[in-house]
Amino acid sequence: MQLYDLNLSGNCYKVRLFLSLIGQQAELTTVNLHAGEHQQADFLAINPRGQVPALVDGELHLGDSQAILVYLARRYANDAWYPQDAVQQGRIAGWLSFAANEVQHGPGSARLGKLFGVPIDQLAVQKKATATLQLLDTQLGNHTWLAQGSQPSIADIAVYPYVALAGDGGIDLAPYAQLNAWFARIRALPGYIDMPGL
Ligand SMILES: N[C@@H](CCC(=O)N[C@@H](CS)C(=O)NCC(=O)O)C(=O)O
């Protein structure tokens, strides 16, 4: 299995973290976005969207961190990470979508602007980020894990990185007690690994 990766990408970290939690290994290939490697023909043949992460496993070429989590969970992990139950799958899909939208465009974009100098309306993204963090803090006040099961699922792994990295975007995480308790639960999982900024 090969993972096309970038150390500072929260989306790539999602996949590295999950691989470690389930005790699977992938050969990492760094894609230098700064040098435009993601737009070169050989990488576009792997992921036509020109984005990392991208996973190659045998014949499978798969982009998008959420899609990769689903694949890895179903293919390599025990059922708890992505249960067969329809209610649980529906809830998890909702959180995967939340990771790709509210989280990516709130705290994720704030970090892009502050850390990487990408031109972004910081005021607008800080507002989105605050609403996202508040919603999560409320959800986690009533539930140990996001999808409401008794164990963590891929929903937690999809949402965690850019929320935990919000400080890189100039957002103070201290007021969110439930979020901080959830970070601690995730960090206590066997096989947990960090990335720069956490
Ligand atoms: N929805 C995708 C987003 C992936 C993404 O935005 N990747 C960034 C790095 S974090 C990237 O490759 N950006 C280069 C580009 O879009 O040109 C996912 O969850 O994997």
Side-chain angles (χ1 to χ4, degrees):
M1 192 159 35
Q2 278 105 35
L3 179 65
Y4 290 81
D5 181 57
L6 185 65
N7 196 28
L8 287 178
S9 155
N11 286 319
C12 293
Y13 166 63
K14 255 177 234 183
V15 178
R16 294 197 305 272
L17 171 60
F18 189 56
L19 283 166
S20 180
L21 291 171
I22 64 172
Q24 288 290 325
Q25 290 192 340
E27 187 188 316
L28 301 184
T29 301
T30 296
V31 179
N32 186 339
L33 299 189
H34 191 63
E37 284 178 5
H38 58 308
Q39 290 302 340
Q40 287 172 12
D42 50 351
F43 183 70
L44 291 172
I46 293 163
N47 183 5
R49 296 183 194 176
Q51 293 177 331
V52 288
L55 186 80
V56 175
D57 191 17
E59 296 293 300
L60 175 72
H61 289 182
L62 193 61
D64 191 274
S65 56
Q66 280 65 239
I68 295 170
L69 292 182
V70 169
Y71 169 73
L72 291 173
R74 183 53 67 237
R75 179 88 176 75
Y76 293 110
N78 70 47
D79 258 10
W81 287 105
Y82 186 51
Q84 302 280 355
D85 172 68
V87 171
Q88 281 295 98
Q89 288 203 351
R91 285 183 179 143
I92 289 171
W95 288 112
L96 299 184
S97 195
F98 187 82
N101 289 287
E102 285 85 348
V103 175
Q104 179 95 47
H105 299 128
S109 291
R111 178 172 177 264
L112 264 187
K114 258 227 150 44
L115 200 64
F116 300 105
V118 174
I120 265 167
D121 180 346
Q122 272 294 340
L123 217 62
V125 295
Q126 296 272 341
K127 211 170 143 187
K128 270 189 201 165
T130 302
T132 300
L133 299 181
Q134 278 171 352
L135 186 148
L136 285 168
D137 204 56
T138 302
Q139 171 76 5
L140 290 162
N142 303 318
H143 305 286
T144 308
W145 303 107
L146 283 179
Q148 306 177 28
S150 56
Q151 297 184 58
S153 73
I154 55 172
D156 299 281
I157 308 308
V159 171
Y160 169 72
Y162 287 115
V163 173
L165 289 165
D168 280 352
I171 295 158
D172 181 12
L173 285 166
Y176 302 101
Q178 304 302 334
L179 264 185
N180 282 296
W182 176 67
F183 295 161
R185 289 194 287 281
I186 291 179
R187 288 166 187 167
L189 293 171
Y192 177 83
I193 53 167
D194 258 339
M195 69 165 275
L198 292 178

